[in-house]
Amino acid sequence: MYCGDYTQGTILPAPNFNPIMDAQLLGGALQGICCEKDVLIEILTQRCNSQRLMIAEAYRDMYGRDLITDLKENLSHHFKEVMVGLMYPPASYDAHELWHALKGVDTEEKCLIDILASRSNMEIFQMKEAYLMQYNSDLQQDIDSETSGHFRDTLMNLAQGTRMEGYADPSTAAQDAMILWEACQQKTGEHKNMLQMILCNRSQQQLWMVFQEFQNISGQDIVDAINECYDGYFQELLVAIVLCIRDKPSYFAYRLYNAIHDFGFHNKTVIRILIARSEIDLMNIRQRYKERYGKSLFHDIKHFASGHYESALLAICAGDTEDY
């Protein structure tokens, strides 16, 4: 059945919020002789995104300067990426990450996968609007020009944001499962297109039934079947879609573990996931991480990061006493 666990972020609206006071404190921290990074962490990681935007507005009114610009000018390296990233509205942050993934020196396929495989129709619509506004460029056109093959086709389909919502038809689940099974057996271009069309457009509830029917028909989990039949970024994207349909917190726990342990602490991935999920389901991601890997996310970040960068990540992660 469809899994609809209660989700919770780690950053909540601060009580007794005063944007003018916060703006004053940030101004003092940024414009003094030495940048008081602890003050930045204390404020920006303990206010929700809408509150941070109000602080930025108060900061502009107070100092006649842009807060993001001042953060960029006074900070450096990964700590700067965290503090600046926190200041973007969610859709703008996704757009920012997608732009750099597509237009950087090398295309960052895993970033494209993480974002487009996990976002709702509304989130995709809002990120496309933000992308156009921020970069005067069309997201789908950029995906088309910067990626290729069935990987590109699947990303383009996801970027349409046309997944059915709240609809499930048990009578067609077995039919869709048979198509998926045939696509894993025959692997023609037509079968690949049918595979990605089903995974990108059926509702979450429908796909839960399709995956169960696939297991009944083939005796195999669909993730195992995809891993056996396909390779490259196309395979990674298909698996990400399935895992996100089943349980997004588990998917992001898996991605964080890989980023921390398999890639020598891949900073961009860790930063992006912590910021993007901080008000959505980071608390659930922490729980899945500990259940699956035995150690807390807080513990692993503390082991691999350092300095104010470590402090900022840990503040977003919001570890419990048992995690220290």
Side-chain angles (χ1 to χ4, degrees):
M1 61 178 290
Y2 166 63
C3 179
D5 286 349
Y6 171 74
T7 58
Q8 182 181 344
T10 55
I11 296 179
L12 305 173
N16 304 315
F17 172 61
N18 186 330
I20 295 175
M21 181 177 296
D22 284 346
Q24 288 177 330
L25 291 170
L26 289 175
L30 287 167
Q31 297 176 24
I33 297 175
C34 295
C35 180
E36 298 176 43
K37 296 176 183 177
D38 290 332
V39 174
L40 304 183
I41 295 170
E42 182 179 348
I43 293 175
L44 296 183
T45 67
Q46 303 304 310
R47 309 291 186 269
C48 69
N49 187 261
S50 62
Q51 290 177 333
R52 288 184 221 117
L53 298 181
M54 286 188 275
I55 293 170
E57 185 177 348
Y59 188 94
R60 182 184 292 277
D61 292 342
M62 193 174 297
Y63 299 106
R65 295 176 59 85
D66 179 66
L67 178 54
I68 289 181
T69 300
D70 282 358
L71 289 169
K72 289 179 177 178
E73 290 179 355
N74 285 277
L75 305 177
S76 61
H77 302 101
H78 301 307
F79 180 65
K80 176 175 72 173
E81 292 176 34
V82 177
M83 293 294 102
V84 171
L86 287 168
M87 294 307 304
Y88 287 103
S92 296
Y93 186 64
D94 278 348
H96 172 271
E97 293 297 289
L98 289 170
W99 169 262
H100 288 281
L102 288 164
K103 297 297 185 178
V105 177
D106 296 309
T107 303
E108 296 178 36
E109 288 86 357
K110 291 182 184 295
C111 174
L112 303 179
I113 292 170
D114 280 351
I115 293 176
L116 290 171
S118 65
R119 301 313 194 248
S120 68
N121 290 346
M122 180 58 70
E123 288 169 333
I124 288 171
F125 172 78
Q126 291 171 342
M127 81 172 67
K128 287 195 293 186
E129 291 287 301
Y131 193 95
L132 181 62
M133 184 177 297
Q134 289 167 219
Y135 305 108
N136 194 30
S137 188
D138 182 82
L139 174 61
Q140 287 170 276
Q141 289 180 5
D142 286 349
I143 291 171
D144 187 47
S145 64
E146 300 296 336
T147 60
S148 61
H150 292 286
F151 176 62
R152 176 195 61 206
D153 296 341
T154 310
L155 289 175
M156 292 281 285
N157 200 331
L158 290 169
Q160 291 178 20
T162 54
R163 182 181 300 284
M164 297 184 73
E165 296 180 333
Y167 175 81
D169 181 1
S171 66
T172 62
Q175 180 182 345
D176 283 346
M178 182 61 72
I179 294 172
L180 295 182
W181 183 77
E182 291 175 355
C184 288
Q185 299 303 307
Q186 302 187 35
K187 296 182 284 187
T188 66
E190 182 181 357
H191 282 92
K192 290 178 182 178
N193 287 335
M194 294 169 70
L195 170 63
Q196 62 100 352
M197 285 294 290
I198 290 173
L199 292 181
C200 294
N201 291 289
R202 299 292 189 267
S203 72
Q204 191 171 8
Q205 296 89 335
Q206 178 76 11
L207 285 174
W208 267 82
M209 292 190 293
V210 171
F211 298 158
Q212 183 58 56
E213 290 293 341
F214 185 94
Q215 178 87 37
N216 296 339
I217 291 168
S218 67
Q220 189 177 30
D221 184 79
I222 188 161
V223 170
D224 295 332
I226 292 171
N227 285 334
E228 285 183 11
C229 298
Y230 296 105
D231 56 18
Y233 291 119
F234 179 56
Q235 169 259 327
E236 290 188 35
L237 178 54
L238 296 178
V239 168
I241 295 169
V242 173
L243 296 179
C244 286
I245 288 293
R246 284 177 167 168
D247 186 39
K248 285 181 190 178
S250 290
Y251 171 73
F252 284 114
Y254 156 74
R255 288 288 292 126
L256 282 168
Y257 186 85
N258 284 353
I260 293 170
H261 293 275
D262 294 349
F263 300 104
F265 206 91
H266 194 268
N267 295 282
K268 283 187 176 181
T269 300
V270 174
I271 293 169
R272 181 179 67 251
I273 294 174
L274 290 187
I275 291 177
R277 310 310 295 185
S278 62
E279 294 183 41
I280 301 173
D281 55 6
L282 187 51
M283 188 70 77
N284 307 78
I285 292 168
R286 279 177 39 192
Q287 292 166 351
R288 302 291 196 278
Y289 192 100
K290 192 164 189 177
E291 290 166 2
R292 184 165 183 174
Y293 304 111
K295 291 185 178 178
S296 69
L297 176 59
F298 190 94
H299 171 277
D300 283 354
I301 290 173
K302 193 171 181 64
H303 182 75
F304 286 97
S306 62
H308 287 96
Y309 173 49
E310 172 200 331
S311 299
L313 293 181
L314 294 180
I316 297 171
C317 184
D320 297 322
T321 302
E322 64 193 48
D323 296 327
Y324 282 76

